[in-house]
């Protein structure tokens, strides 16, 4: 899988393994980093800490990794699991999980 964001795929993963990262699933394929920023509006997430996954052919996969300031913030972000993603996407909800080491290897 290819990820959109500040990521050099030849280098070791820039995602920390300290519990400060969440994985999102079920994102609309047209979702952008700006849409993820709106979803986490009160968390102070920076756009360079959002990694939208893509298939090898460049199509969006509907998954993303988001890096938060701390593991506590990431845990709080997981409370948004199954919340509606955004008005322009209708009633679509997304899943939000703590990131596992095996998820990061899948990047």
């Amino acid at each position: 899988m290819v990820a959109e964001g500040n990521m050099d795929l030849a280098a070791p993963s820039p995602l920390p393994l300290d519990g400060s990262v969440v994985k999102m699933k079920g994102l609309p394929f047209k979702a952008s980093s700006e849409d993820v920023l709106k979803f986490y509006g009160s968390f102070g997430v920076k756009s360079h800490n959002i990694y939208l996954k893509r298939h090898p052919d460049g199509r969006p996969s509907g998954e993303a990794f988001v890096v938060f300031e701390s593991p506590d913030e990431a845990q709080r972000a997981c409370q948004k699991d199954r919340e509606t993603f955004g008005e322009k996407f209708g009633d679509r909800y997304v899943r939000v999980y703590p990131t596992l080491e095996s998820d990061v290897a899948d990047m």
Side-chain angles (χ1 to χ4, degrees):
M1 292 258 161
V2 177
E4 174 184 302
N6 295 338
M7 178 176 264
D8 177 1
L9 296 178
S13 173
L15 298 177
L17 298 175
D18 63 357
S20 64
V21 182
V22 300
K23 181 176 184 178
M24 298 178 74
K25 293 179 84 171
L27 289 170
F29 294 134
K30 293 185 179 189
S32 66
S33 293
E34 290 77 28
D35 295 317
V36 175
L37 284 173
K38 288 178 189 173
F39 184 73
Y40 290 116
S42 65
F43 287 84
V45 174
K46 306 282 190 270
S47 62
H48 66 272
N49 285 331
I50 298 169
Y51 300 91
L52 298 171
K53 288 180 67 174
R54 295 187 173 277
H55 294 288
D57 64 3
R59 291 178 300 117
S61 71
E63 296 182 0
F65 290 98
V66 182
V67 181
F68 289 88
E69 295 277 326
S70 69
D72 289 338
E73 280 289 287
Q75 187 172 19
R76 194 166 68 90
C78 288
Q79 294 174 3
K80 293 183 70 71
D81 184 40
R82 294 184 188 245
E83 281 192 20
T84 303
F85 186 65
E87 288 181 24
K88 73 180 185 182
F89 298 110
D91 292 334
R92 184 178 189 115
Y93 70 86
V94 294
R95 301 300 314 265
V96 181
Y97 306 96
T99 298
L100 304 172
E101 192 169 341
S102 60
D103 292 327
V104 174
D106 187 35
M107 283 294 291

